[in-house]
Amino acid sequence: RRCLEEEVPYVPQILKPTLDEVLDWAEVLVVANKNPEYAEVPHRLRPDQSLVDLVRIIQSPNGTPGKYVGLCW
């Protein structure tokens, strides 16, 4: 925790409590957890947002409004 607070002290300011707030604010989103709530993220992107998917949250990125990048799967 100390390392995080020293190296990236702005993290608490950018963490958001809800998915809606993250989608409203973020330019780039990273999905690293297969929580079913995150399955809707690719389809809720704005055209100017990017999603980095580390867990293959969806089978096909076709039809996603933003930029979709699947990594490590």
Side-chain angles (χ1 to χ4, degrees), residues 38-53:
Y38 303 146
E40 66 186 69
V41 170
H43 304 290
R44 293 183 56 194
L45 295 174
R46 296 186 315 263
D48 63 321
Q49 288 176 309
S50 297
L51 172 64
V52 179
D53 181 356

Side-chain angles (χ1 to χ4, degrees), residues 1-14:
R1 178 181 177 149
R2 191 180 94 229
C3 178
L4 183 65
E5 290 171 347
E6 291 174 5
E7 299 298 323
V8 283
Y10 56 85
V11 167
Q13 297 167 8
I14 63 174

Side-chain angles (χ1 to χ4, degrees), residues 1 6 10 13 19 21-22 24 33-34 37 51 53 55 60-61 63 65-67 69-71:
R1 178 181 177 149
E6 291 174 5
Y10 56 85
Q13 297 167 8
L19 182 56
E21 288 179 74
V22 172
D24 287 343
N33 180 313
K34 279 204 170 198
E37 179 183 16
L51 172 64
D53 181 356
V55 294
S60 173
K67 181 178 180 184
V69 178
L71 293 176

Side-chain angles (χ1 to χ4, degrees), residues 51-70:
L51 172 64
V52 179
D53 181 356
L54 302 178
V55 294
R56 198 172 203 163
I57 198 73
I58 58 172
Q59 293 302 311
S60 173
N62 294 338
T64 58
K67 181 178 180 184
Y68 178 93
V69 178

